[in-house]
Amino acid sequence: EIVLTQSPGTLSLSPGERATLSCRASQDIRNNYLAWYQQKPGQAPRLLFFGTSSRATGIPDKFSGGGSGTDFTLTISRLESEDSAVYYCQHYDSSHTFGKGTRLEIK
Amino acid sequence: QLHLQASGPGLVRPSETLSLTCSVSDDPITSYTYYWAWIRQPPGKGLQWIGSVFYGGRSYSNPSLRNRVTFSVDTSKNQFSLQLKSVTAADTAVYYCAREVLQTYYHFDYWGQGILVTVSS
């Protein structure tokens, strides 16, 4: 089973800055079955990206996903207070696994 | 816009069976493109996929839970269900139902709001 390690655990940035969130896989992800979700307090997760870099419906282009192999990133530019959330990566390989999440705080 | 709503008891006693149902609105559950999934989140913790079921009844699940979970589908009601047996306090979590997209990178594109299930005597 592939393990996804997200870093940092918590990221604290100011409005207008850019956030880079990392998701590292324990083995090579050859099929690009890597997705990202945003979860705000008290809400269900919301899909941001699938297939590493395909933006889900309604997700603004300030969000971008990328990477390959074992290293994947979610980048959020022009940070706003509403971007405060926990972000999870997820992979499918006959079973689904999630990373433990990165908490993004906007100062 | 697809809408999913999980329902069931909010309190289950240890060793008993947790039973939840997810009602799907505005999209037929009988699609070859989707599975229907259960994902849970213990309080203050991360997400754990429980398993997914196809409308025809075929399913697959998390190896760590496989011997305790059962899934079912009621196409007449556009619902799918989860049963988790022999629960313990470790099964206390918010349980989400979600739509799993097949063929295009296997992800979860719609989620219900979730239901908190507490296991306690």
Side-chain angles (χ1 to χ4, degrees), chain B residues 16 22-23 49 51 67 70 79:
Chain B
E16 295 188 345
C22 183
S23 299
W49 172 72
N67 62 346
T70 305
Q79 295 176 335

Side-chain angles (χ1 to χ4, degrees), chain A residues 1 31-35 37 39 42-47 49-51 54 88 90 92 94-96 98-100, chain B residues 39 41 44-49 52 60-63 66 96 100 103-109 111-114:
Chain A
E1 174 186 301
N31 55 22
N32 263 349
Y33 289 169
L34 196 286
Y37 302 85
Q39 187 179 33
Q43 297 184 17
R46 176 175 72 147
L47 176 68
F49 290 92
F50 59 93
S54 295
Y88 294 95
Q90 170 253 322
Y92 168 80
S94 76
S95 182
H96 292 279
F98 289 90
K100 296 191 175 188
Chain B
I39 297 156
Q41 185 171 37
K45 296 188 178 181
L47 301 165
Q48 181 186 37
W49 172 72
S52 303
Y60 70 119
S61 57
N62 190 314
R66 188 163 296 156
Y96 295 102
E100 177 182 346
Q103 302 174 350
T104 316
Y105 302 114
Y106 293 84
H107 54 279
F108 306 101
D109 63 345
W111 298 62
Q113 272 307 300

Side-chain angles (χ1 to χ4, degrees), chain A residues 23-38:
Chain A
C23 176
R24 179 162 290 176
S26 59
Q27 300 173 41
D28 191 28
I29 294 179
R30 297 190 194 90
N31 55 22
N32 263 349
Y33 289 169
L34 196 286
W36 289 93
Y37 302 85
Q38 175 194 63

Side-chain angles (χ1 to χ4, degrees), chain B residues 32-106:
Chain B
Y32 284 92
T33 313
Y34 307 114
Y35 266 62
W36 302 93
W38 291 97
I39 297 156
R40 70 181 183 179
Q41 185 171 37
K45 296 188 178 181
L47 301 165
Q48 181 186 37
W49 172 72
I50 299 170
S52 303
V53 62
F54 191 61
Y55 82 90
R58 186 171 60 220
S59 66
Y60 70 119
S61 57
N62 190 314
S64 69
L65 299 169
R66 188 163 296 156
N67 62 346
R68 295 200 291 136
V69 296
T70 305
F71 306 98
S72 60
V73 177
D74 187 336
T75 56
S76 68
K77 296 181 178 178
N78 224 41
Q79 295 176 335
F80 62 102
S81 298
L82 163 71
Q83 287 196 321
L84 177 66
K85 66 181 182 182
S86 305
V87 297
T88 70
D91 295 309
T92 294
V94 174
Y95 285 75
Y96 295 102
C97 53
R99 187 175 78 173
E100 177 182 346
V101 182
L102 307 180
Q103 302 174 350
T104 316
Y105 302 114
Y106 293 84

Side-chain angles (χ1 to χ4, degrees), chain A residues 48-69:
Chain A
L48 297 176
F49 290 92
F50 59 93
T52 301
S53 59
S54 295
R55 197 175 287 109
T57 302
I59 304 303
D61 61 8
K62 58 181 282 182
F63 291 86
S64 62
S68 64

Side-chain angles (χ1 to χ4, degrees), chain A residues 56-97:
Chain A
T57 302
I59 304 303
D61 61 8
K62 58 181 282 182
F63 291 86
S64 62
S68 64
T70 60
D71 292 312
F72 298 84
T73 57
L74 172 67
T75 303
I76 312 169
S77 59
R78 306 183 302 278
L79 287 171
E80 304 168 88
S81 58
E82 66 184 39
D83 299 324
S84 292
V86 179
Y87 293 84
Y88 294 95
C89 56
Q90 170 253 322
H91 170 62
Y92 168 80
D93 181 12
S94 76
S95 182
H96 292 279
T97 55

